[in-house]
């Protein structure tokens, strides 16, 4: 468990459903939950009570004989049972003749004995089921957990405090231009918890299905966590590949811009070609406006080759790892049918050396109004180009039958409140959710990976109702780095 746990005062006992329970350290929380054995006994006991009532009702057994049930498992002995039916007691009551008293006593005794045996049998059956099929009761026992104060937890159930706990570092604190004018902290984008996702598939599922506790709160992957890497770690992960190529629209252009901010350690201008900015552009395109202002966003860095050519000292990775030469680039293809010159540029960009590792991140959808058939055709065309250049499927078939290609499909953001009205039907949230699910299935069919971004953007700032700001794109970039880290060699 991290040392930077948050203290959260919950007051009286709170109940969390299965999917709402925060990640709580056992040394700080007292939990009370029912074991499968207890649930089985309760189930059998309730069932036996029901049977007793049914027998009493339909067999017309004297209800006074049912008092035995409160001491169901006690051995009272035959003498104590028969003592209730003595002739002196019946004669003093004056209700039954001597001959009928004996017959009625035997009937009452027989009914009690039968019901006792049936009830014991039902409880025994329930306990046997709990022993041999514990999952039937363990699910119910995990459904509700009681948490009482005092309590410390990794994920605050309310609004996050303004002061961050000690030890939760901001990896942007040493970046250029970090300060009052560009006060963006990695601790405000992601709050770590355990466990870390152990595999690529679990990581992508967690990232695609997480959420936020409040608007613009840190994003929390579901069930397991991602890692927030330092610049040195990002450079090491990128350095494993000869090429990392992003193909798609403006959303992918913003992701590569965020990656360049990290590898240049510059929050103010790291995602744009600031080396050719004039004074007005330097004022206009600072910090968040690198993405928020269209005239700045289109001046984004499309490949590290340009940085090495025009501002090589701003690139941190070669300083940390001499000889670092990863080709991080963006190829813009926004709609289907794809222009011929765009396909030719992609073909020319891909290095055909089979010994070098490559990874591809693809994104598409909005320029074709989320038409699934056109997006599938776009995806199929791009994959076919990559496939033909690298013969990936043939190599993967030789290595392992079910191994995925090193390609990640990212589907679009959620729609924000500033989304233009004319797009609310074709590109609204209902259409976006359906599109994400359909393209996830298509990605599985194509044997590539998929990362959904609807969940991570629905409660985030979308400055024009479509695109995320700098903070959201830094989070996306770190998700991509986590995917790259888990790719097999």
């Amino acid at each position: 468990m991290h040392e930077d746990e948050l203290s959260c005062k919950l007051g009286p006992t709170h109940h969390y459903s299965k999917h709402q329970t925060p990640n709580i350290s056992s040394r700080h929380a007292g939990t009370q939950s029912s074991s499968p054995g207890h649930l089985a006994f309760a189930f059998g006991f309730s069932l036996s009570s029901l049977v007793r009532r049914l027998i009493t009702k339909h067999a017309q057994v004297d209800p006074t004989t049912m008092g035995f049930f409160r001491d169901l498992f006690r051995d009272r002995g035959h003498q104590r049972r028969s003592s209730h039916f003595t002739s002196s007691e019946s004669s003093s009551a004056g209700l039954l003749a001597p001959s009928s008293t004996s017959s009625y006593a035997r009937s009452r005794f027989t009914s009690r004995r039968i019901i006792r045996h049936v009830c014991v049998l039902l409880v025994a059956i329930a306990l046997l089921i709990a022993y041999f099929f514990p999952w039937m009761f363990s699910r119910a026992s995990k459904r509700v957990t009681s948490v009482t104060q005092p309590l410390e937890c990794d994920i605050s159930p309310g609004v996050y405090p303004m002061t961050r706990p000690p030890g939760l570092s901001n990896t942007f604190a040493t970046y250029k231009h970090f300060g009052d004018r560009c006060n963006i902290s990695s601790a405000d984008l992601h709050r770590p918890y355990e466990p870390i996702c152990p595999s690529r598939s679990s990581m992508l599922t967690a990232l695609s299905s997480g959420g936020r506790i409040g608007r613009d709160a840190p994003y929390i992957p579901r069930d397991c966590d991602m890692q927030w890497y330092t610049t040195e770690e990002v450079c090491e992960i990128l350095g494993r590949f000869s090429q990392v190529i992003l193909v798609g629209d403006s959303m992918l252009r913003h992701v590569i811009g965020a990656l360049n901010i990290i590898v240049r350690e510059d929050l103010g201008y790291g995602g744009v070609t600031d080396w050719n900015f004039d004074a007005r552009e330097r004022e206009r395109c600072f910090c968040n406006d690198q993405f928020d202002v269209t005239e700045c966003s289109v001046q984004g860095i499309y490949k590290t080759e340009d940085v090495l050519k025009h501002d090589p000292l701003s690139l941190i990775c070669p300083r940390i790892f001499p000889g670092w030469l990863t080709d991080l680039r963006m190829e813009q293809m926004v709609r289907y049918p794809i222009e011929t010159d765009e396909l030719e540029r992609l073909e020319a960009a891909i290095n055909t050396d089979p010994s070098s590792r490559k990874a591809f991140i693809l994104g598409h959808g909005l320029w074709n109004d989320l038409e699934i058939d056109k997006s599938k055709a776009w995806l199929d065309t791009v994959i076919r180009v990559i496939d033909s250049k690298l013969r990936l499927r043939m190599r993967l078939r030789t290595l392992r039958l079910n191994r995925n290609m090193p390609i990640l499909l990212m589907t679009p953001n959620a729609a924000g409140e500033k989304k233009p009205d004319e797009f609310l039907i074709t590109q609204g949230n209902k259409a976006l959710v359906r599109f994400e699910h359909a393209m996830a299935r298509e990605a599985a069919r194509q044997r590539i990976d998929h990362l959904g971004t609807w969940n991570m953007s629905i409660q985030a700032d979308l400055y024009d109702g479509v695109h995320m700001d700098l903070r959201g794109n830094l989070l996306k970039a770190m998700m991509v780095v986590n995917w790259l880290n888990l790719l097999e060699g």
Side-chain angles (χ1 to χ4, degrees):
M1 186 61 60
H2 295 281
E3 293 297 323
D4 54 331
E5 294 170 326
L6 299 173
S7 295
C8 53
K9 304 301 183 181
L10 298 183
T13 301
H14 289 255
H15 296 281
Y16 298 89
S17 68
K18 176 182 176 182
H19 298 304
Q20 293 173 322
T21 305
N23 185 16
I24 299 170
S25 173
S26 59
R27 68 178 183 270
H28 296 302
T31 60
Q32 297 175 348
S33 59
S34 300
S35 67
H38 291 156
L39 288 174
F41 183 84
F43 171 74
F45 199 84
S46 300
L47 189 60
S48 62
S49 298
L50 178 62
V51 170
R52 175 180 64 86
R53 291 174 182 175
L54 289 174
I55 293 175
T56 302
K57 178 179 179 180
H58 294 289
Q60 296 182 350
V61 180
D62 184 358
T64 59
T65 64
M66 296 298 112
F68 79 96
F69 201 73
R70 60 179 173 268
D71 46 34
L72 178 62
F73 300 107
R74 295 179 187 175
D75 185 10
R76 293 174 174 268
H78 178 71
Q79 181 177 1
R80 184 175 180 181
R81 289 195 299 269
S82 60
S83 65
H84 293 286
F85 311 114
T86 59
S87 58
S88 59
E89 182 178 339
S90 61
S91 61
S92 62
L95 297 175
L96 297 172
S99 58
S100 62
T101 299
S102 176
S103 174
Y104 183 54
R106 284 195 303 270
S107 173
R108 294 170 67 190
F109 172 74
T110 302
S111 298
R112 284 181 71 173
R113 185 169 60 181
I114 291 174
I115 297 174
R116 181 190 295 272
H117 291 168
V118 170
C119 294
V120 171
L121 179 62
L122 289 173
V123 173
I125 290 173
L127 291 173
L128 286 173
I129 292 174
Y131 181 80
F132 289 104
F133 306 99
W135 54 268
M136 295 179 64
F137 294 96
S138 61
R139 285 184 180 178
S141 67
K142 293 177 181 178
R143 191 162 298 156
V144 176
T145 303
S146 297
V147 183
T148 55
Q149 66 173 4
L151 176 68
E152 291 182 5
C153 60
D154 293 329
I155 304 174
S156 172
V159 178
Y160 284 92
M162 295 301 294
T163 57
R164 291 183 292 273
L168 188 60
S169 61
N170 171 24
T171 59
F172 304 146
T174 58
Y175 282 23
K176 289 176 62 177
H177 301 108
F178 172 76
D180 292 339
R181 290 188 62 206
C182 193
N183 188 15
I184 297 175
S185 170
S186 62
D188 293 331
L189 308 183
H190 170 252
R191 192 172 297 274
Y193 76 98
E194 293 181 347
I196 299 296
C197 297
S199 65
R200 198 166 77 247
S201 61
S202 64
M203 175 74 72
L204 292 172
T205 300
L207 295 178
S208 300
S209 57
R212 302 174 189 267
I213 307 176
R215 186 168 183 81
D216 274 331
Y219 185 68
I220 305 169
R222 179 176 176 178
D223 292 334
C224 60
D225 198 15
M226 61 182 279
Q227 298 189 67
W228 195 276
Y229 296 107
T230 63
T231 300
E232 180 178 354
E233 292 168 331
V234 171
C235 289
E236 189 278 324
I237 292 169
L238 291 174
R240 302 172 194 171
F241 302 87
S242 65
Q243 288 187 304
V244 176
I245 301 178
L246 290 79
V247 182
D249 52 20
S250 56
M251 291 190 184
L252 271 291
R253 187 177 72 237
H254 288 176
V255 172
I256 196 171
L259 287 169
N260 279 305
I261 285 173
I262 294 171
V263 298
R264 296 180 74 195
E265 289 194 341
D266 186 351
L267 283 176
Y269 303 105
V272 290
T273 57
D274 60 312
W275 52 80
N276 59 15
F277 277 7
D278 57 28
R280 188 188 71 83
E281 288 173 324
R282 294 192 70 83
E283 180 65 28
R284 187 79 175 97
C285 303
F286 179 73
C287 195
N288 252 321
D289 290 336
Q290 295 174 86
F291 300 95
D292 294 4
V293 179
T294 302
E295 64 183 85
C296 304
S297 176
V298 296
Q299 298 191 67
I301 298 172
Y302 282 76
K303 49 191 175 183
T304 50
E305 178 183 335
D306 292 340
V307 182
L308 290 170
K309 180 180 179 180
H310 297 284
D311 193 8
L313 295 181
S314 70
L315 199 58
I316 302 299
C317 298
R319 290 192 241 159
I320 302 174
F321 300 101
W324 188 93
L325 290 173
T326 299
D327 180 16
L328 178 63
R329 66 167 60 220
M330 162 80 184
E331 294 295 334
Q332 188 157 301
M333 294 183 180
V334 299
R335 71 179 69 204
Y336 183 85
I338 303 173
E339 299 289 338
T340 303
D341 61 328
E342 293 177 343
L343 289 173
E344 290 174 351
R345 281 202 309 269
L346 177 60
E347 289 179 349
I350 299 174
N351 183 352
T352 57
D353 181 4
S355 64
S356 59
R357 295 182 67 191
K358 301 170 187 66
F360 300 85
I361 298 96
L362 314 180
H364 179 261
L366 294 182
W367 281 81
N368 281 114
D369 281 333
L370 303 178
E371 293 184 35
I372 294 172
D373 290 340
K374 288 185 177 181
S375 290
K376 287 181 178 179
W378 180 94
L379 180 63
D380 191 63
T381 303
V382 174
I383 291 177
R384 191 164 57 246
V385 171
I386 298 171
D387 208 6
S388 64
K389 291 286 288 187
L390 300 180
R391 301 182 183 274
L392 277 172
R393 294 189 188 275
M394 185 179 296
R395 288 169 54 196
L396 293 176
R397 193 178 299 117
T398 303
L399 292 173
R400 188 162 63 200
L401 181 63
N402 295 321
R403 182 175 175 185
N404 275 14
M405 300 170 72
I407 299 175
L408 176 66
L409 174 66
M410 296 180 69
T411 40
N413 302 328
E417 60 184 10
K418 296 180 181 179
K419 187 95 167 183
D421 291 346
E422 59 264 32
F423 297 120
L424 289 181
I425 295 178
T426 58
Q427 299 180 16
N429 279 316
K430 182 177 181 179
L432 284 161
V433 170
R434 287 181 172 178
F435 180 82
E436 182 167 296
H437 292 168
M439 295 309 293
R441 292 190 294 270
E442 178 64 14
R445 188 187 71 82
Q446 294 271 15
R447 285 174 54 199
I448 66 174
D449 292 329
H450 169 256
L451 173 62
T453 63
W454 192 91
N455 273 36
M456 63 86 65
S457 55
I458 187 62
Q459 285 187 293
D461 182 31
L462 301 164
Y463 63 86
D464 58 356
V466 178
H467 299 93
M468 302 191 76
D469 63 2
L470 175 55
R471 304 196 317 156
N473 284 292
L474 285 168
L475 177 60
K476 279 189 184 180
M478 197 57 65
M479 290 178 173
V480 169
V481 174
N482 274 263
W483 174 74
L484 291 170
N485 180 56
L486 293 171
L487 281 174
E488 297 139 341

